[in-house]
Amino acid sequence: MTTTTSARTEVELDLHLERKETLADGVVRLTLNHPAGEPLPAWEPGAHIDLVLGPDLVRQYSLCGNPADRSVLQVAVLREAAGRGGSRHVHDALAEGDTVRVRGPRNHFALVDSPRYLFIAGGIGITPILPMIREAEQRGPDWRLVYGGRTRTTMAFAGQLARAHPGRVELCPQDETGHLDLQSLLGTPQQDTAVYCCGPGPLLDAVEKACADWPEGALHIERFVPKTREDDGPATGFEVELAQSGLTLPVPADRSILEVVQEAGVEVLSSCQEGTCGSCETAVLAGKPDHRDSLLSEKERAASDVMFLCVSRSHSRRLVLDL
């Protein structure tokens, strides 16, 4: 099935769970295929999909397989004991042979061209890095992976990465080596290196801080938990004009743009409701958005040509959106 909105088109499929396997302590990999054997949507390193696990249970997971293999999609899921229930459902309820609804893929973590890459992964954050390493190997630039986790037994793919890429992969189990030494990794800015990092929020925050003096655009991170923002002012009301629909709608202080637009009958894709997945990305035709997402870079925020309707608001009295 293909879901169409006034903004763009996105694929939504009911796939077959071909295989569910344990990769490490608390980590399982799901291999999904099309029940009729049809090729699955194309994707590039850094992409993620939504797993629709229930009416109000939608979670995003990075694709960790081979983009050249259109017969399957693969994700690896960490059991989050203190999570909101998505990972527990995957671990405890999903079984081989089940049907799983999938939306996407979408990519806000694409691999840019660079003469050198430094990949930093924390725990399950290794998943989007795997296809990036495959791509880097094919392109030919220099690369290095520093991969941290609580213990070796919790670090999915660690053994195969170390064996396949001797000299390029540094494994750093916290119980053996302590926290990642970000000062030695990032203390000296490099002009020709793209840094890619995925992992828990504290690691991403620390890497952002360590890269403060690096060239603009050198750091690329992906978050599946919203970034803590201390500079968001109080929410105030404003108007949104929907250019395609011919509607002008008031957005009160206690409601999101997404809620108001959907209530008016304009369909907009949405998933996380937290400004992390990117599904509600919408073009801005006029006005100044108040970006409160965890996706856009500072350069993209300054351009203000797109915004994420689930969390962002407006600095101007009116926003004009391409809806």
Side-chain angles (χ1 to χ4, degrees), residues 118-161:
L118 172 59
F119 300 115
I120 303 173
I124 199 62
I126 190 62
T127 52
I129 302 299
L130 291 172
M132 291 184 179
I133 289 173
R134 182 188 296 270
E135 180 71 14
E137 283 284 281
Q138 293 174 351
R139 293 184 187 182
D142 186 27
W143 65 269
R144 177 188 179 194
L145 167 66
V146 179
Y147 177 14
R150 289 185 293 107
T151 66
R152 286 183 185 270
T153 61
T154 65
M155 296 169 64
F157 307 104
Q160 75 178 58
L161 283 166

Coordinates of all heavy atoms in Angstrom, one line a residue, residues 118-161:
L118 N 35.0 9.3 10.5 CA 35.2 8.8 11.8 C 33.8 8.4 12.3 O 32.9 9.3 12.5 CB 35.8 9.8 12.8 CG 35.8 9.5 14.3 CD1 36.6 8.2 14.5 CD2 36.4 10.6 15.1
F119 N 33.6 7.1 12.5 CA 32.3 6.6 13.0 C 32.4 6.4 14.5 O 33.3 5.7 14.9 CB 31.9 5.3 12.3 CG 31.8 5.5 10.8 CD1 32.6 4.8 9.9 CD2 30.8 6.3 10.2 CE1 32.5 4.9 8.6 CE2 30.6 6.4 8.9 CZ 31.5 5.7 8.0
I120 N 31.4 6.9 15.2 CA 31.4 6.7 16.7 C 30.0 6.1 17.0 O 29.0 6.7 16.7 CB 31.6 8.0 17.5 CG1 32.9 8.7 17.1 CG2 31.5 7.8 19.0 CD1 33.1 10.1 17.7
A121 N 30.0 4.9 17.6 CA 28.7 4.3 17.9 C 28.7 3.9 19.4 O 29.7 3.5 20.0 CB 28.6 3.0 17.1
G122 N 27.5 4.1 20.0 CA 27.3 3.7 21.3 C 26.2 2.7 21.4 O 25.0 3.0 21.0
G123 N 26.4 1.5 21.8 CA 25.4 0.5 22.0 C 24.7 0.2 20.7 O 25.3 0.0 19.6
I124 N 23.3 0.2 20.7 CA 22.5 -0.1 19.5 C 22.7 1.0 18.4 O 22.3 0.7 17.3 CB 21.0 -0.3 19.9 CG1 20.3 -1.0 18.9 CG2 20.4 1.1 20.2 CD1 20.8 -2.5 18.7
G125 N 23.4 2.1 18.7 CA 23.7 3.1 17.7 C 24.6 2.5 16.6 O 24.8 3.3 15.6
I126 N 25.1 1.3 16.8 CA 25.9 0.7 15.7 C 25.1 0.4 14.5 O 25.6 0.4 13.3 CB 26.6 -0.6 16.2 CG1 27.6 -1.1 15.2 CG2 25.6 -1.6 16.5 CD1 28.8 -0.1 15.0
T127 N 23.8 0.3 14.6 CA 23.0 -0.2 13.5 C 23.0 0.7 12.2 O 23.3 0.1 11.1 CB 21.5 -0.4 13.9 OG1 21.0 0.7 14.5 CG2 21.4 -1.6 14.8
P128 N 22.9 2.0 12.3 CA 23.0 2.8 11.0 C 24.4 2.9 10.5 O 24.6 3.2 9.3 CB 22.4 4.1 11.4 CG 22.7 4.3 12.8 CD 22.5 2.9 13.4
I129 N 25.4 2.6 11.4 CA 26.8 2.7 11.0 C 27.2 1.5 10.1 O 28.0 1.7 9.2 CB 27.7 2.8 12.2 CG1 27.3 4.0 13.1 CG2 29.1 2.9 11.9 CD1 27.4 5.3 12.5
L130 N 26.5 0.4 10.3 CA 26.9 -0.8 9.5 C 26.9 -0.6 8.0 O 27.8 -0.8 7.3 CB 26.1 -2.0 9.9 CG 26.3 -2.6 11.4 CD1 25.3 -3.6 11.7 CD2 27.7 -3.1 11.5
P131 N 25.7 -0.2 7.5 CA 25.7 0.1 6.0 C 26.6 1.2 5.6 O 27.0 1.3 4.4 CB 24.2 0.3 5.7 CG 23.6 0.7 7.0 CD 24.4 0.0 8.1
M132 N 26.9 2.2 6.5 CA 27.8 3.2 6.2 C 29.2 2.7 5.9 O 29.9 3.1 5.0 CB 27.8 4.3 7.2 CG 26.5 5.1 7.3 SD 26.6 6.4 8.6 CE 25.0 7.2 8.4
I133 N 29.6 1.8 6.8 CA 30.9 1.2 6.7 C 31.0 0.4 5.3 O 32.0 0.5 4.6 CB 31.2 0.3 7.9 CG1 31.5 1.1 9.1 CG2 32.4 -0.7 7.6 CD1 31.6 0.3 10.4
R134 N 29.9 -0.3 5.0 CA 29.9 -1.0 3.7 C 30.1 0.0 2.6 O 30.8 -0.3 1.6 CB 28.6 -1.8 3.6 CG 28.5 -2.6 2.3 CD 27.0 -3.1 2.2 NE 26.7 -4.1 3.2 CZ 26.9 -5.4 3.2 NH1 27.5 -5.9 2.1 NH2 26.6 -6.2 4.2
E135 N 29.4 1.1 2.7 CA 29.4 2.1 1.6 C 30.8 2.7 1.5 O 31.4 2.9 0.5 CB 28.4 3.2 1.8 CG 28.3 4.3 0.8 CD 27.8 3.8 -0.5 OE1 27.2 2.7 -0.6 OE2 28.0 4.6 -1.5
A136 N 31.4 3.0 2.7 CA 32.8 3.6 2.7 C 33.8 2.6 2.1 O 34.7 3.1 1.4 CB 33.1 3.9 4.2
E137 N 33.6 1.3 2.4 CA 34.5 0.4 1.8 C 34.4 0.4 0.3 O 35.4 0.2 -0.4 CB 34.2 -1.0 2.3 CG 34.7 -1.3 3.7 CD 36.2 -1.6 3.8 OE1 36.6 -2.7 3.5 OE2 36.9 -0.6 4.1
Q138 N 33.2 0.6 -0.2 CA 33.0 0.6 -1.7 C 33.5 1.9 -2.3 O 34.1 1.8 -3.4 CB 31.5 0.4 -2.0 CG 31.0 -1.0 -1.6 CD 29.5 -1.1 -1.8 OE1 28.8 -0.1 -2.1 NE2 29.0 -2.3 -1.7
R139 N 33.4 3.0 -1.6 CA 33.8 4.3 -2.1 C 35.3 4.4 -2.1 O 36.0 5.1 -2.9 CB 33.2 5.4 -1.4 CG 31.7 5.6 -1.5 CD 31.2 6.8 -0.8 NE 29.7 6.9 -0.8 CZ 29.1 7.9 -0.2 NH1 29.7 8.9 0.4 NH2 27.8 7.9 -0.2
G140 N 36.0 3.8 -1.0 CA 37.4 3.8 -0.9 C 38.1 4.8 0.0 O 39.3 4.8 0.1
P141 N 37.4 5.8 0.6 CA 38.0 6.7 1.5 C 38.5 6.0 2.8 O 38.0 4.9 3.2 CB 37.0 7.8 1.8 CG 35.7 7.0 1.7 CD 35.9 6.0 0.6
D142 N 39.4 6.7 3.5 CA 39.8 6.2 4.8 C 38.7 6.3 5.8 O 37.8 7.2 5.8 CB 41.0 7.0 5.3 CG 41.6 6.5 6.6 OD1 41.5 5.2 6.8 OD2 42.2 7.3 7.4
W143 N 38.6 5.3 6.8 CA 37.6 5.4 7.8 C 38.0 4.7 9.0 O 38.9 3.8 9.0 CB 36.2 4.8 7.3 CG 36.2 3.3 7.0 CD1 36.5 2.8 5.8 CD2 36.0 2.2 7.9 NE1 36.4 1.4 5.9 CE2 36.1 1.0 7.2 CE3 35.7 2.2 9.3 CZ2 36.0 -0.2 7.7 CZ3 35.5 0.9 9.8 CH2 35.6 -0.3 9.1
R144 N 37.4 5.0 10.2 CA 37.7 4.4 11.4 C 36.4 4.3 12.2 O 35.6 5.2 12.2 CB 38.7 5.2 12.2 CG 39.1 4.7 13.6 CD 39.9 5.8 14.3 NE 40.3 5.3 15.7 CZ 40.8 6.1 16.6 NH1 41.0 7.4 16.3 NH2 41.0 5.7 17.8
L145 N 36.2 3.2 13.0 CA 35.1 3.1 13.8 C 35.5 2.9 15.3 O 36.4 2.1 15.6 CB 34.3 1.8 13.5 CG 33.2 1.4 14.5 CD1 32.1 2.4 14.6 CD2 32.6 0.0 14.1
V146 N 34.9 3.7 16.2 CA 35.1 3.6 17.6 C 33.7 3.2 18.2 O 32.8 4.0 18.1 CB 35.7 4.8 18.3 CG1 35.8 4.7 19.8 CG2 37.0 5.2 17.6
Y147 N 33.7 2.0 18.8 CA 32.4 1.4 19.1 C 32.4 1.1 20.6 O 33.2 0.3 21.1 CB 32.1 0.2 18.3 CG 30.9 -0.6 18.6 CD1 29.8 -0.1 19.3 CD2 30.8 -1.9 18.0 CE1 28.7 -0.9 19.5 CE2 29.6 -2.7 18.2 CZ 28.6 -2.2 19.0 OH 27.5 -2.9 19.2
G148 N 31.5 1.8 21.4 CA 31.5 1.6 22.8 C 30.2 0.9 23.2 O 29.1 1.0 22.5
G149 N 30.2 0.2 24.3 CA 29.0 -0.5 24.9 C 29.3 -0.8 26.4 O 30.4 -0.6 26.9
R150 N 28.2 -1.3 27.0 CA 28.4 -1.6 28.5 C 29.4 -2.7 28.7 O 30.3 -2.6 29.5 CB 27.1 -1.9 29.1 CG 26.1 -0.7 29.2 CD 24.8 -1.0 29.9 NE 24.0 -1.9 29.2 CZ 23.8 -3.2 29.4 NH1 24.4 -3.7 30.5 NH2 23.0 -3.9 28.7
T151 N 29.2 -3.8 27.9 CA 30.1 -5.0 28.0 C 30.2 -5.5 26.6 O 29.4 -5.2 25.7 CB 29.5 -6.1 28.9 OG1 28.3 -6.6 28.4 CG2 29.2 -5.5 30.3
R152 N 31.1 -6.4 26.3 CA 31.3 -7.0 25.0 C 30.0 -7.8 24.7 O 29.6 -7.9 23.5 CB 32.5 -7.9 25.0 CG 33.8 -7.2 24.9 CD 35.0 -8.2 24.8 NE 36.2 -7.4 24.9 CZ 36.8 -6.9 23.8 NH1 36.4 -7.1 22.6 NH2 38.0 -6.2 24.0
T153 N 29.4 -8.4 25.7 CA 28.3 -9.3 25.4 C 27.0 -8.5 24.9 O 26.1 -9.1 24.4 CB 27.9 -10.2 26.6 OG1 27.6 -9.4 27.7 CG2 29.1 -11.1 26.9
T154 N 27.0 -7.2 25.2 CA 25.9 -6.4 24.8 C 26.1 -5.7 23.4 O 25.2 -5.0 22.9 CB 25.6 -5.3 25.8 OG1 26.7 -4.4 25.9 CG2 25.3 -5.9 27.2
M155 N 27.3 -5.8 22.9 CA 27.7 -5.1 21.7 C 27.4 -5.9 20.4 O 28.3 -6.7 20.0 CB 29.1 -4.6 21.8 CG 29.4 -3.7 22.9 SD 31.1 -3.3 23.3 CE 31.7 -2.5 21.8
A156 N 26.2 -5.7 19.8 CA 25.9 -6.4 18.6 C 26.8 -6.1 17.5 O 27.3 -5.0 17.3 CB 24.5 -6.1 18.2
F157 N 27.2 -7.1 16.7 CA 28.0 -7.0 15.5 C 29.5 -6.8 15.8 O 30.3 -6.6 14.9 CB 27.5 -5.9 14.5 CG 26.1 -6.0 14.2 CD1 25.2 -5.2 14.7 CD2 25.7 -7.0 13.2 CE1 23.8 -5.3 14.4 CE2 24.3 -7.1 12.8 CZ 23.4 -6.2 13.4
A158 N 29.9 -6.7 17.1 CA 31.2 -6.3 17.5 C 32.3 -7.3 16.9 O 33.3 -6.9 16.3 CB 31.4 -6.2 19.0
G159 N 32.0 -8.6 17.1 CA 33.0 -9.5 16.7 C 33.2 -9.5 15.2 O 34.3 -9.6 14.7
Q160 N 32.1 -9.5 14.4 CA 32.2 -9.6 13.0 C 32.9 -8.3 12.4 O 33.7 -8.4 11.5 CB 30.8 -9.8 12.3 CG 30.0 -8.6 12.3 CD 28.6 -8.8 11.5 OE1 27.9 -9.7 11.9 NE2 28.4 -8.0 10.5
L161 N 32.6 -7.2 13.0 CA 33.3 -5.9 12.6 C 34.8 -6.0 12.8 O 35.6 -5.6 12.0 CB 32.7 -4.7 13.3 CG 31.3 -4.3 12.8 CD1 30.7 -3.3 13.8 CD2 31.4 -3.6 11.5

